[in-house]
């Protein structure tokens, strides 16, 4: 039960003051949208948009939550289309200057949807991508618990999600709800705005009973807030049982139509034609028109008393979902209309609303009178909800180079597990900040040694029943201090979690270094939520492994093609695809060093299970030369083989670098000299090209070192991925080029067969080089 409600809030006659605040929130949220669309000059004529109806359905819920139940340690994710309600509340609490209220969806003003990083007022979670904002508090709860278990500083607090009912169609919602770890998160509270409408229509059947059953089966407490207190009282009168049954059995469209009726029409439509119709007709005959109209719209999500009861009934031992029935557009002229999603009130309707709510369209942002009960409630709420500012701790120092030179044959995937173990010895403070997450692929992605070393995170310690089994290699020790989090096979959950883990530095001042590992083909499935996490300020590392068609025997189902260019194009992220173990170490250390701080960046590493002879890396023995090589690797590329009189350059990335070197050897034997460049980051090279052209701020020195003008030669590019990823390299010196890569679905077979099928084998590289050199 919430302990936030205090005596100043209870003062006055019942909910009189709170209703005054509720009315002002309704007005402000409507006026913010009205001003953006009908008052602010719009020379372009482009639609500004905003959602007055979607905001109106949330006003009562958010007013009750903020002004009676929310605590400073709580966090709230607000459904995207209710952002004007959040801004209105923040304005009343003194957290948003009035100058921003006319600037919804204006450049530099209020964002379309709540944004932690771009809005001028507080937003606990960025929302907007449907389903992702709803589930973010789940991963925020795990992140808070993780930080608290690893040194403290995150405290406690509920994590609220304000969710539109149509949002429950999103698969991301159910991937999150069904994860076994979620049932232990008693601080999770979802409030579903059941307004029975989507963008275009009244949804014929929301299937609320089915949804309640699904949440219940997942271990959630389910609270249904369907009717308000007025209707509940009517249900106790003669004919009330029949009235309840009639409304319960009514289809959504029929009910919504009642919202558009006056008293006379309601008396005709409401009784229906069933056996209880006479008793219902007799009941409604005793109500005047105003009471009858009020009763029809008296749903639980707009009844402050019913909302109080629901919030006070939350069981903090398990997650809770509250199904709060509402009217889309409640309190507005457009209430309940099937096409009200993007509808805007006219000037005349806004003036009528202003008159009814005792405000002024010509002075829309007028504050409450100083010293009035409503102003005092706002001031008291602002004081109660004030939070201490966090001073972010700097992430621990990381080494740039462990100092080892790998030998023999190894894979870049194996280098990941090796580096994590090295960190526990070489940089223990930094290693303690590392948290790995995977969807049931820890052993197959070489995290086994790390998991054995640091243990598996769990909200409570669990016995390891296989600890004494001699044949057990991967030890599953679950405890609150573990540093590996294993989720079910749901990539959206994984990237959403690492995004929240990567935001702890800004939420609680405690930086973490989160690394998510999944099969590279599924990066595309996880891209939207990960991109949104980056947008929201979460800094993390995503590792896709194994990748490409180099996982030859697995066939097309597990072979990635487009992911290299995805990394190149993703904002807020640096992408690497190393060829050798030492390159993996250096790029991963550099990526970890960018996390957990203002201005930090996420990273995507594409690793391989293809064994590669590590001597081919030709790591310089001289310390200064080694440092120069490391700097080039981290910057995006390095010259792997440079020969006087080169007639062609082969720029290769990742797993196919050995094929490029073999091609250069055979070309040399045939009299054609080739330089070989090892590309580690097409992303950074492309930014360097754009910086040289004056399009963005980035360092371009790497282009001079790796692709100097004096060594310009026809260029062959090759990678285990789509060829366009590296094709831009030819623009550096404006040379003739051929781009080799994968453009078709994969096939099962040996590595030689699959490479030959896709034209990225040694012979294909030689043929391309000879065509250019002639």
């Amino acid at each position: 039960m919430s302990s936030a409600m205090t005596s100043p809030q209870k003062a006055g006659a019942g909910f009189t003051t709170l209703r005054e605040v509720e009315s002002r929130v309704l007005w402000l949220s409507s006026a913010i949208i009205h001003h953006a669309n009908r008052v602010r000059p719009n020379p372009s004529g482009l639609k500004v948009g905003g959602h007055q109806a979607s905001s109106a359905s949330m006003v009562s819920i958010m007013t009750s939550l903020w002004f009676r139940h929310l605590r400073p340690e709580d966090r709230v994710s607000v459904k995207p289309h209710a952002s004007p309600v959040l801004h209105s509340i923040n304005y009343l609490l003194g957290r948003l200057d009035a100058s921003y209220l006319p600037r919804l969806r204006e450049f530099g003003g209020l964002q379309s949807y709540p944004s932690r990083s771009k809005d001028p007022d507080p937003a606990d979670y960025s929302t907007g991508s449907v389903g992702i904002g709803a589930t973010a508090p789940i991963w925020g709860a795990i992140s808070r618990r993780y930080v608290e278990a690893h040194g403290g500083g995150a405290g406690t607090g509920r994590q609220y999600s304000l969710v539109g009912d149509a949002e429950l169609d999103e698969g991301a919602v159910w991937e999150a709800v069904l994860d076994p770890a979620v049932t232990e998160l008693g601080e999770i509270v979802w409030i579903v705005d059941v307004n029975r409408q989507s963008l275009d229509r009244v949804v014929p059947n929301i299937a609320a009973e089915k949804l309640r059953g699904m949440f219940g089966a997942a271990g959630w407490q389910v609270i249904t807030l369907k009717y308000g207190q007025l209707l509940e009282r009517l249900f106790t009168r003669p004919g009330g049982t029949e009235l309840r049954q009639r409304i319960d059995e009514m289809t959504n469209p029929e009910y919504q139509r009642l919202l558009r009726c006056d008293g006379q029409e309601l008396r005709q439509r409401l009784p229906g034609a069933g056996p209880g119709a006479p008793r219902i007709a007799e009941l409604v005959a005793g109500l005047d028109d105003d009471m009858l109209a009020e009763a029809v719209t008296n749903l639980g999500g707009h009844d402050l008393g019913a909302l109080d009861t629901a919030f006070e009934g939350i069981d903090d031992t398990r997650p809770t979902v509250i199904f709060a029935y509402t009217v889309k557009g409640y309190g507005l002229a457009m209430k309940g209309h099937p096409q009200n999603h993007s509808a805007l009130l006219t000037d005349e309707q806004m003036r009528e609303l202003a008159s009814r709510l005792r405000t002024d369209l010509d002075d829309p942002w007028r504050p409450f009178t100083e010293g009035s009960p409503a102003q005092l409630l706002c001031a008291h709420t602002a004081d109660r909800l004030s939070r201490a500012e966090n001073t972010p701790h700097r992430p621990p120092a990381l080494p740039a180079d462990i100092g080892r030179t790998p030998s023999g044959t190894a894979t870049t995937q194996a280098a990941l597990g090796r580096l994590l173990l090295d960190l526990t010895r070489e940089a223990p403070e930094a290693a303690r900040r590392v948290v790995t997450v995977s969807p049931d692929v820890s052993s197959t992605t070489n995290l086994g040694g790390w998991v054995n070393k640091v243990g598996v995170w769990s909200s409570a310690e669990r016995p390891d029943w296989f600890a004494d089994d001699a044949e057990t290699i991967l030890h599953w020790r679950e405890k609150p201090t573990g540093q590996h989090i294993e989720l079910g096979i749901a990539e959206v959950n994984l990237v959403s979690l690492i995004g929240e883990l990567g935001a702890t530095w800004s939420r609680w001042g405690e930086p973490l270094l989160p690394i998510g590992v999944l099969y590279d083909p599924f990066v595309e499935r996880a891209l939207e939520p990960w991109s949104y996490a980056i947008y929201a300020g979460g800094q993390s590392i995503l590792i896709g492994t194994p990748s490409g068609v180099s996982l030859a025997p697995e066939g097309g189902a597990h072979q990635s093609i487009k992911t290299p260019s995805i990394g190149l194009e993703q904002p807020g992220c640096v992408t690497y695809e190393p060829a050798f173990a030492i390159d993996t170490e250096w790029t991963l250390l550099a990526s970890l060093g960018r996390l957990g701080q203002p201005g930090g960046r996420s990273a995507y590493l594409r690793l391989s299970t293809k064994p590669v002879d590590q001597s081919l890396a030709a790591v310089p023995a001289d310390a200064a030369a080694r440092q120069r090589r490391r700097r080039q690797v981290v910057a995006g590329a390095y010259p792997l083989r440079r020969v006087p009189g080169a007639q062609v350059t082969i720029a290769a990335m990742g797993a196919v670098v050995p094929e490029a070197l073999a091609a250069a050897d055979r070309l040399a034997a045939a009299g054609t000299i080739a330089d070989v460049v090892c590309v580690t980051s097409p992303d950074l090279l492309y930014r360097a090209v754009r910086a040289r052209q004056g399009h963005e701020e980035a360092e371009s020195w790497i282009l001079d070192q790796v692709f100097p003008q004096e060594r310009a030669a026809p260029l062959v590019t090759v990678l285990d991925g789509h060829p366009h990823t590296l094709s831009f390299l030819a623009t550096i010196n404006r040379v003739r080029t051929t781009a080799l890569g994968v453009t078709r679905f994969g096939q099962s077979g040996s590595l030689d067969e699959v490479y030959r099928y896709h034209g990225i084998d040694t012979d294909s590289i030689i043929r391309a080089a000879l065509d250019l050199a002639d």
Side-chain angles (χ1 to χ4, degrees):
M1 175 176 172
S2 171
S3 60
M5 189 165 52
T6 55
S7 54
Q9 292 170 279
K10 294 179 181 178
F15 291 99
T16 302
T17 303
L18 190 63
R19 288 196 184 98
E20 186 177 356
V21 172
E22 176 189 30
S23 295
R24 187 59 59 90
V25 172
L26 175 62
W27 166 255
L28 288 170
S29 60
S30 301
I32 287 171
I33 300 167
H34 176 79
H35 197 286
N37 286 273
R38 301 199 186 276
V39 181
R40 192 169 71 216
N42 183 11
S44 72
L46 292 175
K47 173 187 172 183
V48 177
H51 301 85
Q52 289 174 323
S54 293
S55 293
S57 68
M58 288 298 302
V59 165
S60 304
I61 293 169
M62 293 177 66
T63 300
S64 176
L65 183 59
W66 259 263
F67 289 89
R68 289 179 75 84
H69 298 278
L70 208 60
R71 303 165 299 181
E73 63 268 26
D74 298 335
R75 298 290 186 272
V76 187
S77 173
V78 177
K79 80 171 189 177
H81 292 162
S83 64
V85 183
L86 176 63
H87 298 311
S88 301
I89 290 174
N90 280 336
Y91 168 65
L92 292 176
L93 297 182
R95 297 171 171 177
L96 179 66
D97 190 81
S99 63
Y100 281 101
L101 297 179
R103 301 182 61 197
L104 177 69
R105 301 189 174 197
E106 180 182 86
F107 189 83
L110 301 176
Q111 297 299 298
S112 304
Y113 309 123
S115 171
R116 289 191 70 221
S117 57
K118 295 185 178 182
D119 270 321
D121 56 332
D124 292 330
Y125 289 95
S126 296
T127 58
S129 192
V130 179
I132 296 171
T135 59
I138 289 177
W139 316 118
I142 291 178
S143 300
R144 183 201 62 74
R145 288 193 180 204
Y146 186 95
V147 169
E148 192 62 23
H150 288 77
T156 59
R158 284 179 180 166
Q159 302 280 332
Y160 290 91
S161 289
L162 307 182
V163 187
D165 50 9
E167 205 164 3
L168 297 182
D169 290 342
E170 289 290 330
V173 166
W174 298 105
E175 288 187 1
V177 167
L178 294 175
D179 192 281
V182 175
T183 58
E184 300 174 348
L185 303 176
E187 63 267 44
I188 294 295
V189 180
W190 282 22
I191 306 167
V192 180
D193 174 16
V194 186
N195 61 43
R196 316 184 213 208
Q197 290 185 234
S198 62
L199 192 150
D200 294 323
R201 60 176 181 156
V202 177
V203 179
N205 185 6
I206 285 292
E209 285 297 328
K210 180 178 73 173
L211 292 173
R212 287 193 285 268
M214 292 168 69
F215 275 99
W220 289 51
Q221 177 193 19
V222 179
I223 297 174
T224 299
L225 190 55
K226 189 168 186 179
Y227 299 118
Q229 293 174 326
L230 173 58
L231 265 179
E232 291 288 359
R233 288 195 296 270
L234 289 179
F235 292 154
T236 65
R237 296 186 184 181
T241 301
E242 290 79 4
L243 177 61
R244 180 193 288 271
Q245 183 177 357
R246 164 81 170 122
I247 298 176
D248 280 345
E249 294 176 354
M250 194 178 292
T251 66
N252 291 336
E254 183 182 4
Y255 173 77
Q256 294 290 115
R257 183 63 184 88
L258 295 180
L259 303 177
R260 312 290 300 169
C261 295
D262 59 21
Q264 182 179 351
E265 288 180 291
L266 286 173
R267 295 178 201 284
Q268 295 172 352
R269 291 174 178 266
L270 187 55
R279 290 176 61 79
I280 298 172
E282 184 178 351
L283 172 61
V284 300
L287 306 176
D288 63 37
D289 286 356
D290 289 342
M291 177 172 283
L292 181 56
E294 182 183 354
V296 170
T297 60
N298 184 228
L299 298 182
H302 300 302
D303 190 301
L304 296 175
L307 285 163
D308 257 6
T309 301
F311 287 136
E312 291 168 4
I314 292 171
D315 175 6
D316 284 325
T317 66
R318 54 181 173 151
T320 295
V321 59
I322 300 172
F323 286 94
Y325 283 72
T326 65
V327 174
K328 193 166 184 174
Y330 182 77
L332 306 180
M334 63 180 70
K335 67 178 183 297
H337 193 280
Q339 279 86 51
N340 66 11
H341 183 79
S342 297
L344 296 169
L345 295 174
T346 64
D347 285 341
E348 182 181 352
Q349 289 170 332
M350 282 295 294
R351 291 196 181 279
E352 184 279 327
L353 181 66
S355 175
R356 179 156 47 88
L357 299 182
R358 292 179 294 178
T359 58
D360 186 352
L361 184 59
D362 298 321
D363 185 16
W365 324 125
R366 184 180 64 201
F368 286 122
T369 302
E370 189 71 23
S372 66
Q375 187 273 326
L376 292 175
L377 174 58
C378 292
H380 171 76
T381 302
D383 289 341
R384 175 171 56 80
L385 295 180
S386 63
R387 298 171 182 166
E389 289 290 328
N390 284 318
T391 302
H393 297 143
R394 289 197 61 81
L398 282 154
D401 186 350
I402 298 296
R404 250 184 321 101
T405 301
S407 58
T409 299
T411 71
T412 54
Q413 177 179 291
L416 163 66
R418 177 65 183 269
L419 175 63
L420 291 175
L421 289 174
D422 284 343
L423 276 180
T424 63
R425 296 185 292 269
E426 302 295 329
E429 286 302 313
R432 277 192 279 272
R433 297 277 178 170
V434 173
V435 51
T436 56
V437 184
S438 69
D440 197 34
V441 292
S442 300
S443 56
T444 57
T445 54
N446 284 88
L447 289 180
W450 163 258
V451 172
N452 287 344
K453 177 78 173 179
V454 301
V456 177
W457 180 85
S458 175
S459 58
E461 189 159 356
R462 294 188 175 96
D464 179 6
W465 297 105
F466 288 85
D468 58 348
D469 188 331
E471 295 183 8
T472 298
I473 299 174
L474 183 62
H475 299 289
W476 211 251
R477 294 190 296 272
E478 297 180 84
K479 52 188 178 180
T481 56
Q483 290 180 243
H484 175 74
I485 301 177
E486 189 92 352
L487 298 174
I489 304 177
E491 290 77 14
V492 171
N493 289 352
L494 179 140
V495 295
S496 298
L497 176 54
I498 63 174
E500 287 301 322
L501 290 166
T504 59
W505 68 273
S506 60
R507 289 198 191 281
W508 302 292
E510 296 293 338
L512 296 176
L513 308 177
I515 301 173
V517 182
L518 76 167
Y519 291 164
D520 192 66
F522 307 140
V523 166
E524 294 179 64
R525 184 184 300 173
L527 183 63
E528 185 206 0
W530 191 51
S531 177
Y532 212 84
I534 295 172
Y535 166 81
Q539 300 168 12
S540 61
I541 296 174
L542 184 62
I543 294 180
T545 182
S547 65
V549 300
S550 295
L551 188 64
E554 290 280 355
H558 276 67
Q559 296 174 346
S560 56
I561 297 172
K562 296 178 288 183
T563 49
S565 63
I566 285 174
L568 187 154
E569 296 153 7
Q570 174 60 46
C573 164
V574 177
T575 183
Y576 289 110
E577 185 165 347
F580 302 104
I582 190 67
D583 298 352
T584 306
E585 175 188 307
W586 287 338
T587 55
L588 185 54
L589 287 170
S591 299
L592 287 167
R594 299 187 185 103
L595 301 180
Q597 56 196 295
R601 297 181 75 87
S602 295
Y604 163 45
L605 273 70
R606 192 171 185 255
L607 305 183
S608 174
T609 51
K610 178 185 174 183
V612 172
D613 179 0
Q614 298 301 301
S615 67
L616 297 176
V619 180
D622 179 79
R626 179 187 176 101
Q627 166 62 9
R628 181 172 183 266
R629 165 71 71 82
R630 186 200 65 79
R631 188 165 176 258
Q632 291 173 335
V633 167
V634 171
Y638 59 95
L640 185 54
R641 181 173 299 177
R642 187 164 280 174
V643 185
Q647 300 157 272
V648 67
T649 299
I650 304 172
M653 184 169 74
V656 296
V657 168
E659 280 67 29
L661 290 169
D665 289 339
R666 287 173 53 188
L667 284 167
T672 299
I673 308 303
D675 282 348
V676 178
V677 171
C678 181
V679 175
T680 54
S681 176
D683 172 24
L684 293 178
L685 294 183
Y686 187 65
R687 292 185 205 174
V689 170
R690 287 180 54 79
R692 179 179 281 184
Q693 296 169 343
H695 297 311
E696 62 179 87
E697 293 184 7
E699 295 182 339
S700 60
W701 60 265
I702 189 65
L703 303 180
D704 298 323
Q705 292 194 6
V706 179
F707 297 100
Q709 177 64 45
E710 63 272 16
R711 296 191 66 83
L715 178 68
V716 177
T717 64
V718 58
L719 75 154
D720 184 358
H722 200 281
H724 83 79
T725 307
L726 298 181
S727 61
F728 74 91
L729 295 176
T731 67
I732 297 172
N733 292 316
R734 300 181 181 180
V735 296
R736 291 186 297 123
T737 185
T738 292
L740 305 180
V742 180
T743 59
R744 293 178 286 177
F745 287 113
Q747 298 285 334
S748 294
S750 70
L751 203 56
D752 289 342
E753 291 170 326
V754 170
Y755 276 15
R756 190 178 309 115
Y757 172 77
H758 291 287
I760 57 174
D761 60 318
T762 300
D763 287 352
S764 296
I765 298 171
I766 291 171
R767 285 194 295 270
L770 290 174
D771 288 344
L772 289 175
D774 284 348

